[in-house]
Amino acid sequence: MAGRSSNTLVVPQATAALQQLKMEAAQELGVTIPQDGYYGNYTSRETGSLGGYITKRLVQLAEQQLSGRQ
């Protein structure tokens, strides 16, 4: 079941953009994304920091879009 997520995207076309965002977040935080998609060897701090960073960026992007800026 490695690499499979129970999350489904509302906009499936956003998959590539979200993957890019994950890669940018990992690079910024110094976390290596596992090639096989298995995060079992990662600490909660590492995976939580990735999720938090991604959420922060998504909120920033939404705020920019709502305010009319790109």
Side-chain angles (χ1 to χ4, degrees), residues 25-26 29-33 39-53:
L29 299 170
V31 176
T32 305
I33 299 290
Y39 286 88
N41 298 323
Y42 288 75
T43 65
S44 296
R45 179 179 293 266
E46 289 171 323
T47 57
S49 64
L50 268 177
Y53 183 92

Side-chain angles (χ1 to χ4, degrees), residues 22-70:
K22 184 192 295 185
M23 294 300 190
E24 290 173 13
Q27 185 176 20
E28 181 90 16
L29 299 170
V31 176
T32 305
I33 299 290
Q35 292 296 325
D36 61 0
Y38 177 68
Y39 286 88
N41 298 323
Y42 288 75
T43 65
S44 296
R45 179 179 293 266
E46 289 171 323
T47 57
S49 64
L50 268 177
Y53 183 92
I54 291 169
T55 301
K56 180 180 171 182
R57 286 289 297 136
L58 288 172
V59 168
Q60 287 174 341
L61 291 169
E63 287 175 344
Q64 288 173 355
Q65 216 172 29
L66 288 170
S67 69
R69 295 184 292 134
Q70 290 293 330

